[in-house]
Amino acid sequence: MNLYKNDDLVEATNLAINNTLNNPGRQQQLDTFGWGEPQFTTGKNLLKIYEQRGTAQTQLQNEQWALSQQINSGLQALAEQFKEHVRIVQVALRNDTTLLHSLEIDRLAQRRWEFVRQAGNFYGQLQDQKVSLEAYGISSKEIQQNCSAANELLQLKEVRADKKSAAEQSTQDKREAQATLRMWVKYFHTIARMAFRSQPQALEAYGIRVRATV
């Protein structure tokens, strides 16, 4: 078994616990080497913590992925609308240089989140100044929806950043739990090799490799 692999570590822990607690003879033999009920209780608790942290890590990573998908979809929809509306507004308001300047659309931002902030300002200014563009095919409802979409994307960006930070911490927590559980299994294997040095079948039941004798 490779105790650095998740499945092998969990299996090794379960073999150590179940193949002992279900066998009174092995329990008694291990107990003479100082490995009794308290040590198995510790093993159970360590396994539970490790599995809980693994579940938490997976959940946070899935949430982060879902947020990324939502953001990417929203960005694409906003970009299509924003670029089209900018072209229309630059023509519709070409004689109102003051208003055009306030919209900050002389040049579209290249960076993703600067682009979103630019879109938010654009639609926000159109709302605040009550600019009517119905004659050019842009409804006030579209302006309001796109303004809300830009603001929501910025909020989702912050939420995703928090999820990313939490996911990174959960990964660290899982690694620490994994290292602690691995040490427990290794220590058990050391005790088991001494307790069952003349009982290769017992060692094999724990997933411990036994050297073939000539």
Side-chain angles (χ1 to χ4, degrees):
M1 284 187 178
N2 183 349
L3 298 182
Y4 287 87
K5 290 183 178 180
N6 176 66
D7 291 344
D8 284 359
L9 179 59
V10 172
E11 182 182 1
T13 306
N14 283 322
L15 288 175
I17 294 170
N18 297 331
N19 287 343
T20 300
L21 299 184
N22 293 329
N23 190 314
R26 289 178 187 164
Q27 286 186 58
Q28 185 176 3
Q29 201 159 346
L30 284 166
D31 195 55
T32 61
F33 284 82
W35 196 277
E37 184 62 30
Q39 285 71 32
F40 284 108
T41 299
T42 297
K44 290 178 183 178
N45 290 336
L46 292 175
L47 178 60
K48 182 178 180 180
I49 291 170
Y50 176 57
E51 290 178 331
Q52 287 174 339
R53 291 185 179 181
T55 299
Q57 179 197 39
T58 300
Q59 181 177 344
L60 285 166
Q61 289 175 338
N62 288 341
E63 290 173 358
Q64 186 182 347
W65 180 86
L67 282 168
S68 293
Q69 294 297 105
Q70 185 179 353
I71 287 171
N72 290 338
S73 177
L75 283 169
Q76 183 177 355
L78 179 65
E80 291 174 358
Q81 286 272 296
F82 179 43
K83 290 177 182 178
E84 178 63 22
H85 289 169
V86 165
R87 286 193 290 268
I88 293 171
V89 167
Q90 284 174 332
V91 173
L93 304 178
R94 62 187 179 279
N95 295 324
D96 192 339
T97 56
T98 302
L99 179 54
L100 272 177
H101 180 72
S102 71
L103 297 177
E104 299 179 1
I105 54 173
D106 292 339
R107 184 178 64 178
L108 293 184
Q110 297 301 309
R111 294 179 181 272
R112 172 184 291 189
W113 294 109
E114 289 178 5
F115 181 87
V116 174
R117 292 186 184 91
Q118 185 180 32
N121 175 73
F122 172 78
Y123 290 112
Q125 288 291 334
L126 291 178
Q127 273 191 304
D128 293 344
Q129 300 191 46
K130 297 180 172 57
V131 179
S132 177
L133 296 166
E134 299 281 349
Y136 298 92
I138 303 175
S139 67
S140 57
K141 183 178 180 181
E142 281 182 289
I143 293 172
Q144 181 182 8
Q145 287 176 337
N146 286 324
C147 184
S148 297
N151 291 330
E152 182 182 357
L153 281 169
L154 292 171
Q155 291 173 357
L156 287 174
K157 175 179 179 287
E158 298 303 318
V159 173
R160 184 177 63 176
D162 290 341
K163 291 291 183 183
K164 180 181 179 181
S165 178
E168 289 172 351
Q169 182 59 53
S170 72
T171 298
Q172 181 61 33
D173 291 343
K174 180 185 175 183
R175 285 174 180 165
E176 290 175 359
Q178 184 183 50
T180 304
L181 182 60
R182 187 184 301 117
M183 288 300 297
W184 183 91
V185 173
K186 286 183 175 181
Y187 192 26
F188 170 80
H189 283 181
T190 298
I191 298 297
R193 286 190 179 96
M194 291 188 292
F196 304 108
R197 57 186 177 277
S198 60
Q199 301 176 49
Q201 289 183 339
L203 293 175
E204 290 173 353
Y206 291 126
I208 298 173
R209 185 178 298 177
V210 179
R211 292 181 182 179
T213 56
V214 180

